[in-house]
Amino acid sequence: MSTRLVIGSYTSDMDGTGIGLSSVPGGHVVTPSPSYVITDGSYLYAVNEGEGAVSSFTIDTLELLSTQSTGGQWPCHLALIDGYLLAANYGSGSVSVHPVADGKIGPRTSLVQHQGTGPDAERQEGPHAHQIVSGPDGAVTVVDLGIDRLVHYSFADGALTRTGETALPPGTGPRHVAVHPSGRWYVAGELNSTVVTLLSGKVVATTPSTAVDGHNQASAIALSGDHLYVANRGPDTIAAFRLDAHGVPAPIAEVSTGGSWPRDFALVDDGLVVANERSSTLVWFSLEDGIPVPTGKTVETGSPTSVLPL
């Protein structure tokens, strides 16, 4: 498996060292809790979760180019849209907008704030923006775990304008979504361990994300053809589903991640790589008829939280 990987991690109170680059032996850059990393092909952009900031780096040498405050708490997800970097601030339930030029992030030009609560008094005491999804014609959707909503915006000239929202079953705690070419959306419910299937903004199915009893927090979700994959923290599994004729996920397997607390995974080289945050390991799987099969390859790396193939 030759694909280069960029690994984000937690550094505060954990054993992560910052951003790691698999193509450079021992290569990493120290930066505060870069828990999520993206690229535009020329530069890397990372959240600094505990600092309420975003940073940019060169892609080959990991030289720091810029850092800017998001104006919110605990940024956890990023998107590059039309020359701007958007950050989802989990702690404060807001979305910041920053211009980007030649890899350098400019000062924040906009900040939109969500409002509301959910039925889980501990986790949904307020809004918690968790993912930003870019769509056609300037459409942007923000997944908000705290208010059980997908909040929809138009985006033009660096400004977000709210256009509507999609309500999910109370207590779902939406974390991330995967969008199918058919127009179906698959939402990973972190709080109720489900995958919610949406079509035209309507709930058409709700499927358990794990068959294992006990505490679970669903995390990453991804599509590969007619297969859907969800990481489950608690049972520490990857659940595999096949989409049926109606586009509804049907479970076909659930396998151990070979570590603890799978925060993220990525589809890489006809397989997948899982970032096990609490066991500080990356674990490789092949995909055989859509089912993850351990390859035996495991790499130790401090508290990995995101996997980005280059």
Side-chain angles (χ1 to χ4, degrees):
M1 296 185 180
S2 58
T3 298
R4 301 164 65 205
L5 302 177
V6 178
I7 309 301
S9 68
Y10 274 134
T11 58
S12 177
D13 301 323
M14 299 189 77
D15 57 358
T17 55
I19 298 174
L21 190 61
S22 67
S23 60
V24 179
H28 70 275
V29 63
V30 177
T31 187
S33 289
S35 61
Y36 192 77
V37 184
I38 63 173
T39 185
D40 60 6
S42 299
Y43 304 97
L44 296 175
Y45 304 87
V47 301
N48 296 120
E49 187 165 331
E51 307 294 313
V54 288
S55 298
S56 63
F57 306 83
T58 58
I59 201 167
D60 291 321
T61 63
L62 299 181
E63 176 188 355
L64 176 65
L65 296 176
S66 62
T67 299
Q68 295 288 345
S69 169
T70 66
Q73 298 175 332
W74 308 345
C76 66
H77 192 267
L78 297 170
L80 285 162
I81 305 174
D82 296 336
Y84 291 87
L85 182 71
L86 281 65
N89 295 301
Y90 176 85
S92 51
S94 60
V95 181
S96 60
V97 180
H98 306 258
V100 176
D102 298 324
K104 295 183 178 180
I105 307 167
R108 184 179 67 255
T109 57
S110 178
L111 183 70
V112 295
Q113 177 66 55
H114 291 178
Q115 302 291 338
T117 61
D120 187 321
E122 182 178 355
R123 295 293 309 279
Q124 296 182 309
E125 80 297 343
H128 293 301
H130 215 307
Q131 187 191 29
I132 301 165
V133 182
S134 175
D137 300 322
V140 172
T141 295
V142 179
V143 181
D144 196 308
L145 180 147
I147 60 176
D148 292 321
R149 295 288 190 274
L150 306 183
V151 186
H152 306 298
Y153 295 90
S154 62
F155 185 67
D157 300 323
L160 288 164
T161 301
R162 189 162 176 161
T163 58
E165 61 182 38
T166 298
L168 296 164
T172 296
R175 180 183 175 92
H176 279 195
V177 305
V179 182
H180 193 271
S182 67
R184 290 178 174 83
W185 287 49
Y186 300 94
V187 185
E190 177 174 336
L191 301 186
N192 70 354
S193 299
T194 64
V195 177
V196 179
T197 303
L198 299 172
L199 182 62
S200 301
K202 304 295 183 182
V203 176
V204 297
T206 301
T207 307
S209 69
T210 177
V212 181
D213 293 332
H215 175 74
N216 174 56
Q217 295 181 38
S219 57
I221 185 169
L223 283 161
S224 179
D226 63 351
H227 290 95
L228 180 75
Y229 302 94
V230 181
N232 291 291
R233 296 171 294 178
D236 298 330
T237 62
I238 296 291
F241 303 84
R242 181 176 287 110
L243 305 182
D244 67 16
H246 303 287
V248 175
I252 57 173
E254 187 168 359
V255 302
S256 169
T257 65
S260 176
W261 213 247
R263 169 83 176 227
D264 193 22
F265 67 87
L267 296 164
V268 179
D269 295 323
D270 299 321
L272 58 84
V273 180
V274 180
N276 289 306
E277 178 187 333
R278 294 184 179 174
S279 58
S280 291
T281 54
L282 299 176
V283 180
W284 273 255
F285 295 79
S286 61
L287 292 174
E288 301 180 13
D289 294 325
I291 296 174
V293 176
T295 66
K297 180 177 179 178
T298 298
V299 173
E300 294 185 359
T301 186
S303 56
T305 56
S306 71
V307 183
L308 172 66
L310 293 180

